[in-house]
Amino acid sequence: MSRPCDDARYVDAAIAGIRPPAGKPRTPRASDGRELCKLFMLRDKSCDFPNCQRAHLDVPSRPRCETFEKYGFCDRGDARDCWLRHEPCEAWEMDVCLMVDMEMAARHVERARRILGPRAVVKAGRIKLSRHTDALICIKSDALGAAGAMRALYREEPYGMAKTKRTFVFPREGGWSRTFEGLEWDDEAIRAMDAWLEKCIDACVEESGATREKPVYARVRAAPRWLEGRLHDAMDRIIDARGDTLACKPLGGGITTRDCTHCIDAVNLWDRAYVGVWKTSGIYETMEVTGSAPTQVLPEIDAPQLPPAGEASMDDLAFYFPLKLQDYRVEVKPLCRAYFKLHEALLRGRVPIEGDWNCVDIGAAPGGWTQVLSERLTTGCVWAIDPAEITLNPFPTTMTHLRVLAEDAVETVREGLQSTASGELRLVVCDANMHPEACLRIALDFSTKFSSMKESWLVMSTKNFCKRRENWLKVIDTCIEQCRDAGYDDVFVEHLFSNCSEEKTLFARRKGKD
Ligand SMILES: C[S@@+](CC[C@H](N)C(=O)[O-])C[C@H]1O[C@@H](n2cnc3c(N)ncnc32)[C@H](O)[C@@H]1O
Ligand SMILES: [Zn+2]
Ligand SMILES: [Zn+2]
């Protein structure tokens, strides 16, 4: 029996850093204590010694390969090359599989669990046994299904979804899906997959009433690359073998992936491939349609919106929308990448910034964060404090640049606040490249000196200035305590998608006093 990979601990271990098995490598032994014969464990089992004292064990009786167990790969190669046993994982069910940068895998897993439930991530693994690779995160939501889960992820986590590299979907109703063991190396498995795929294509033709003039075109998306190759080969073989009798044609001749009528999605994990076929124009959202409004995922009115449930096709959800989100990031013309960090922070922290808020931006140059703030402000002001140059052009009318160290700007801000309508400071943000405790000292200097009767917020980057990660995490805990001591009611830390791996964002909210 192979181990269940859907346990949260296995999910987390599979996407954590790669660690070689503990202890020195030892020659594997049979249960009677004899060492296993190395020659017999070669692909061709070529031990010619008639009196070989070592154990000749067939693969199913050998010990399991620890590295394969943990990551789904081992550096000896596939199941035929490793001396030990590679047991494909059990077949599993999923609705969505996100392909993401390994560095962000843990963040995606955490968000999916928070949005769709603690057991929503049913499996996760990597594309190859290396640190710099992509991760595959398999998600299941019984309540929402593939299309509903996609919508929930966009609505709650547009930033994470914009950072996905691919979004594979496997609608369980109205789509076809199956898993295959050993598709990377076993010819029999490849033949079984070919036969199944041919049946699926026939079903697609029949269901959609395709003809030779208006045929089925299938887009193939798969990870890893070799699997995409297998599926392309299979499609070529099917189309070749059936010739003109099949109302399905290869892409090309002006037909691109955008024109496809169907999509074949597939991923491979622990030597088992999960293959699915769905209709690009298919509407798979089964959840109750609660309204006919499109889903707004970003606060800006010109940001891309998802068509309403019942109207959005699977292609809208799984193919076009991530591209639209990515295009939008270019369209907003951010001054610098830091722009997105504060933009994402305001969204994730649900900071209820209004046009009349007065804000302080500590360490503001070149001006990305100030740009985000001034886009939201109407009558409010932002003091952008930094000895370095602010390169926003034109300067926002709501901004005052104080070209000094923040420590020396407190009095100037005090005077400035007096001439504003409310006289109150509602938001302090700090992205200064300093030790988190130093940042916090300065930020608290502002927020406590000018505490507001209304709700007020602090948003601050906590960068790792420590050699060891544990020490950095301790520093963050200290900062949280200090915020509470300074009178903040809610204090929390998030690892945003716009943060690098060695940076998190701290939020502190003080309730208004009515
Ligand atoms: C990473 S940059 C900030 C980028 C900015 N958030 C943006 O969106 O453009 C850090 C800035 O902090 C400034 N800085 C560092 N220590 C400071 C201090 N004590 N007071 C004011 N600015 C400081 C540096 O001059 C630098 O420009
Ligand atoms: Zn032998
Ligand atoms: Zn192995």
Side-chain angles (χ1 to χ4, degrees):
M1 200 62 181
S2 64
R3 65 170 177 73
C5 327
D6 63 344
D7 188 300
R9 280 168 308 162
Y10 289 121
V11 167
D12 297 336
I15 55 168
I18 300 171
R19 294 213 175 73
K24 275 197 179 158
R26 271 169 296 144
T27 313
R29 287 174 190 275
S31 50
D32 61 9
R34 277 183 306 155
E35 283 189 4
L36 299 193
C37 169
K38 289 179 187 169
L39 290 172
F40 189 78
M41 289 191 290
L42 296 176
R43 246 190 221 208
D44 55 1
K45 303 188 174 172
S46 58
C47 175
D48 299 329
F49 296 104
N51 297 321
C52 179
Q53 295 302 303
R54 306 233 150 90
H56 286 190
L57 283 190
D58 284 325
V59 179
S61 320
R62 292 184 204 157
R64 291 197 288 213
C65 169
E66 267 182 57
T67 314
F68 179 83
E69 288 280 291
K70 195 162 168 194
Y71 304 110
F73 306 90
C74 89
D75 39 23
R76 290 177 185 275
D78 63 39
R80 294 165 305 174
D81 297 310
C82 183
W83 291 349
L84 303 176
R85 182 155 53 97
H86 284 196
E87 181 126 19
C89 61
E90 288 170 36
W92 73 100
E93 277 193 349
M94 66 172 157
D95 296 303
V96 170
C97 181
L98 305 179
M99 177 169 138
V100 305
D101 197 315
M102 198 66 221
E103 203 193 312
M104 295 190 189
R107 281 174 257 186
H108 282 282
V109 167
E110 200 220 314
R111 291 299 288 155
R113 284 179 182 150
R114 254 207 267 174
I115 295 164
L116 298 168
R119 299 192 60 86
V121 178
V122 291
K123 191 187 291 295
R126 50 186 80 221
I127 281 182
K128 60 174 195 271
L129 193 61
S130 113
R131 210 152 73 89
H132 303 288
T133 182
D134 292 325
L136 294 168
I137 298 178
C138 306
I139 294 169
K140 185 167 169 234
S141 166
D142 289 327
L144 299 176
M150 288 296 282
R151 183 180 297 274
L153 290 168
Y154 288 124
R155 192 179 51 228
E156 302 301 323
E157 189 43 77
Y159 262 93
M161 292 303 277
K163 295 251 171 161
T164 55
K165 298 197 170 171
R166 277 186 166 183
T167 45
F168 302 104
V169 287
F170 303 90
R172 273 177 285 151
E173 272 177 38
W176 298 269
S177 58
R178 242 203 76 169
T179 71
F180 298 90
E181 275 177 37
L183 214 46
E184 190 174 8
W185 51 273
D186 181 1
D187 291 337
E188 220 171 284
I190 295 172
R191 277 194 294 276
M193 194 270 287
D194 276 20
W196 175 81
L197 197 57
E198 186 170 353
K199 272 197 211 139
C200 283
I201 298 297
D202 280 329
C204 293
V205 167
E206 188 174 326
E207 191 201 51
S208 59
T211 59
R212 266 157 51 199
E213 290 69 39
K214 223 174 153 293
V216 160
Y217 292 107
R219 172 200 306 142
V220 173
R221 311 188 299 175
R225 281 268 171 240
W226 63 259
L227 182 56
E228 207 161 275
R230 289 271 183 287
L231 289 160
H232 278 301
D233 291 349
M235 285 304 292
D236 289 348
R237 274 195 295 269
I238 294 165
I239 292 172
D240 274 356
R242 299 275 294 272
D244 272 351
T245 61
L246 184 68
C248 171
K249 286 194 185 154
L251 308 199
I255 303 291
T256 70
T257 50
R258 289 183 175 248
D259 307 311
C260 287
T261 59
H262 290 78
C263 186
I264 303 172
D265 275 352
V267 297
N268 192 75
L269 286 163
W270 279 272
D271 216 6
R272 186 182 286 277
Y274 198 117
V275 189
V277 183
W278 46 271
K279 214 171 140 190
T280 54
S281 62
I283 291 167
Y284 291 93
E285 246 158 324
T286 49
M287 64 175 179
E288 192 188 327
V289 181
T290 44
S292 57
T295 302
Q296 179 86 35
V297 305
L298 291 171
E300 288 77 11
I301 33 170
D302 59 342
Q305 298 182 330
L306 262 182
E311 271 177 41
S313 69
M314 198 49 120
D315 245 10
D316 287 331
L317 289 159
F319 187 66
Y320 289 114
F321 202 65
L323 300 177
K324 286 186 185 164
L325 285 177
Q326 282 156 19
D327 288 348
Y328 185 67
R329 284 169 66 90
V330 180
E331 263 168 49
V332 293
K333 298 207 174 60
L335 176 76
C336 57
R337 284 229 322 257
Y339 173 96
F340 294 114
K341 209 182 350 172
L342 185 62
H343 191 276
E344 183 183 356
L346 297 179
L347 204 62
R348 173 83 69 93
R350 297 181 199 277
V351 181
I353 182 167
E354 299 276 352
D356 63 349
W357 280 27
N358 293 319
C359 313
V360 161
D361 182 358
I362 300 170
W369 283 31
T370 288
Q371 185 186 7
V372 173
L373 295 174
S374 49
E375 278 168 6
R376 312 286 173 98
L377 298 182
T378 49
T379 56
C381 303
V382 50
W383 283 273
I385 311 174
D386 201 309
E389 197 183 348
I390 301 277
T391 57
L392 286 169
N393 186 16
F395 266 16
T397 51
T398 50
M399 179 193 84
T400 307
H401 181 196
L402 304 181
R403 218 168 167 167
V404 291
L405 288 175
E407 300 85 311
D408 304 327
V410 182
E411 280 316 309
T412 319
V413 172
R414 184 195 301 283
E415 283 159 26
L417 270 174
Q418 281 162 5
S419 58
T420 63
S422 69
E424 298 202 324
L425 185 61
R426 304 290 296 275
L427 173 62
V428 174
V429 298
C430 175
D431 190 33
N433 41 4
M434 290 189 293
H435 190 281
E437 286 180 275
C439 285
L440 187 62
R441 212 170 303 126
I442 300 173
L444 288 180
D445 210 21
F446 282 92
S447 65
T448 51
K449 280 203 175 113
F450 313 126
S451 68
S452 158
M453 292 299 284
K454 303 213 183 76
E455 176 174 334
S456 63
W457 283 76
L458 167 66
V459 176
M460 188 183 96
S461 301
T462 60
K463 302 172 207 246
N464 185 1
F465 277 84
C466 310
K467 281 210 185 71
R468 303 180 54 174
R469 207 179 148 82
E470 305 93 85
N471 292 348
W472 170 50
L473 298 177
K474 273 190 208 135
V475 165
I476 294 181
D477 284 340
T478 311
C479 288
I480 294 176
E481 276 313 304
Q482 289 174 355
C483 285
R484 295 217 172 95
D485 291 346
Y488 280 99
D489 300 291
D490 305 323
V491 188
F492 52 97
V493 172
E494 299 276 342
H495 197 186
L496 304 176
F497 288 95
S498 310
N499 285 132
C500 65
S501 57
E502 299 291 292
E503 179 188 78
K504 295 189 184 196
T505 301
L506 179 141
F507 297 81
R509 168 178 170 265
R510 189 187 282 132
K511 288 185 204 144
K513 299 174 193 69
D514 292 319

